[in-house]
Amino acid sequence: MGFDELRAALARHVRPDEATAIDGLYIARVERDGPPSPSMSGTVLAVLAQGAKQLTVGDRVLEYRPGSYLVASVDLPVSGSFVDVSPERPALGLALVLEPPAIADLLLQAGSRGLPRPRAGALPGIAVAGMTDGLLDALIRLVNLLDDPGDQAVLAPLVKREILWRLLTGEQGDAVRQLGLADSSLSHVSRAVRWIQDHYAEPFRVEELARLTGMSPSAFYRHFQTVTALSPIQFQKQIRLQRARLLLASRAHDVTAVAHRVGYDSPSQFSREYRRQYGVPPSHDAARLHDAAAPAQ
């Protein structure tokens, strides 16, 4: 009954822009399967009440559907596609942004009470876990608050706090906990991830990123791969190609300039890596993206 109730609540409140009146809560409806599309994961809790979604992160393939949930504790480049959906049976799901300050505040209040003993070492930055009754109930109550605008200001923060507690005490609690700790291995890797995202067109040395995180080069490289499922250079390449694809939508006839803009000195190398990533040469993909973005006549 729980997922039926969640599905009905999501269907009532889904909007084309996916936003809701509750800060950090998004609701989506997808009616068609499609080829994998690249995006950034964000730091979120993601739940589907209907349908299924597959995500590729580096060499990992994850799938979640009703009965499970996905937690992304680092903003990672992912490729995702929905499966088992149709206009008659669309995917319906929600995403709740996980805010490190809110997690840190809850950890400070709770101390070690009620929390499992943390595991040592780095953890994957994105993972799937089994849904619990307590978490599902809190999510239903959060979405149902959209029916009662007068209650939202007072109750939504309390229910969101309960959801964080359910996550912290659940299967992926260690990853969520590290998101709120300034000195965790995940937070150190996140610092390097943000640097690459902000400076993706610039060359770098792994030793320089290791110094930024306060780790030895070997420890940094090992932790980075555990968290992101990519090496630092592979991560940079994913970001470059994603940014290039966005640029090509508006610069369909300027592939060489886009290649240089995202950090490639060799247009031929850019074309090879783009085709390997997206299955088509950048010039062909650019024309398709441009046509798709053009207003209908």
Side-chain angles (χ1 to χ4, degrees):
M1 178 62 185
F3 276 99
D4 290 338
E5 187 175 354
L6 179 60
R7 182 165 55 249
L10 294 175
R12 285 198 307 275
H13 296 289
V14 66
R15 302 187 333 201
D17 64 358
E18 301 184 358
T20 72
I22 296 176
D23 186 43
L25 177 65
Y26 299 87
I27 298 174
R29 173 190 172 102
V30 177
E31 297 186 349
R32 289 180 174 81
D33 299 345
S37 58
S39 64
M40 299 301 294
S41 67
T43 54
V44 297
L45 161 68
V47 175
L48 284 173
Q50 185 167 280
K53 188 172 186 179
Q54 290 182 342
L55 286 181
T56 300
V57 189
D59 59 358
R60 300 179 195 147
V61 179
L62 304 172
E63 180 174 299
Y64 64 104
R65 58 178 65 233
S68 61
Y69 63 90
L70 178 139
V71 167
S73 48
V74 179
D75 189 16
L76 298 178
V78 298
S79 179
S81 60
F82 287 90
V83 295
D84 300 336
V85 299
S86 67
E88 296 74 29
R89 188 173 173 80
L92 279 169
L94 66 85
L96 181 64
V97 176
L98 301 178
E99 300 286 357
I103 296 169
D105 182 64
L106 188 54
L107 289 171
L108 186 64
Q109 179 183 344
S112 60
R113 291 171 298 177
L115 292 173
R117 188 180 184 88
R119 288 175 287 172
L123 302 166
I126 188 166
V128 173
M131 179 64 72
T132 65
D133 291 340
L135 178 58
L136 179 58
D137 177 68
L139 289 168
I140 292 170
R141 283 186 279 112
L142 182 67
V143 178
N144 280 337
L145 281 174
L146 294 169
D147 293 319
D148 299 300
D151 293 339
Q152 283 175 28
V154 173
L155 296 183
L158 299 178
V159 180
K160 287 164 72 173
R161 192 172 176 86
E162 178 186 347
I163 289 168
L164 288 181
W165 181 252
R166 301 292 184 186
L167 293 176
L168 284 167
T169 56
E171 190 177 335
Q172 294 302 319
D174 284 329
V176 177
R177 183 203 310 252
Q178 288 199 35
L179 183 58
L181 297 176
D183 199 37
S184 68
S185 59
L186 189 147
S187 71
H188 293 321
V189 171
S190 295
R191 197 176 306 150
V193 163
R194 287 192 296 272
W195 189 94
I196 296 174
Q197 290 172 340
D198 292 340
H199 304 86
Y200 64 87
E202 302 175 19
F204 66 84
R205 297 172 65 243
V206 171
E207 292 79 5
E208 295 169 345
L209 283 183
R211 280 198 299 273
L212 177 68
T213 63
M215 297 183 188
S216 69
S218 59
F220 167 71
Y221 194 89
R222 183 173 66 254
H223 281 72
F224 193 96
Q225 283 201 305
T226 300
V227 171
T228 68
L230 297 163
S231 72
I233 296 299
Q234 289 171 328
F235 186 95
Q236 182 191 48
K237 185 188 300 184
Q238 294 275 310
I239 299 297
R240 284 180 169 182
L241 293 174
Q242 284 195 11
R243 298 294 194 273
R245 198 162 191 256
L246 289 173
L247 289 170
L248 285 171
S250 59
R251 302 185 181 187
H253 305 295
D254 208 358
V255 173
T256 299
V258 167
H260 288 304
R261 172 82 176 270
V262 299
Y264 282 89
D265 293 327
S266 168
S268 60
Q269 180 188 3
F270 169 67
S271 294
R272 284 195 305 272
E273 293 185 354
Y274 193 99
R275 182 167 190 163
R276 191 178 302 123
Q277 179 73 15
Y278 298 118
V280 292
S283 56
H284 293 179
D285 199 29
R288 186 181 64 80
L289 291 169
H290 182 73
D291 290 343
Q297 299 298 319

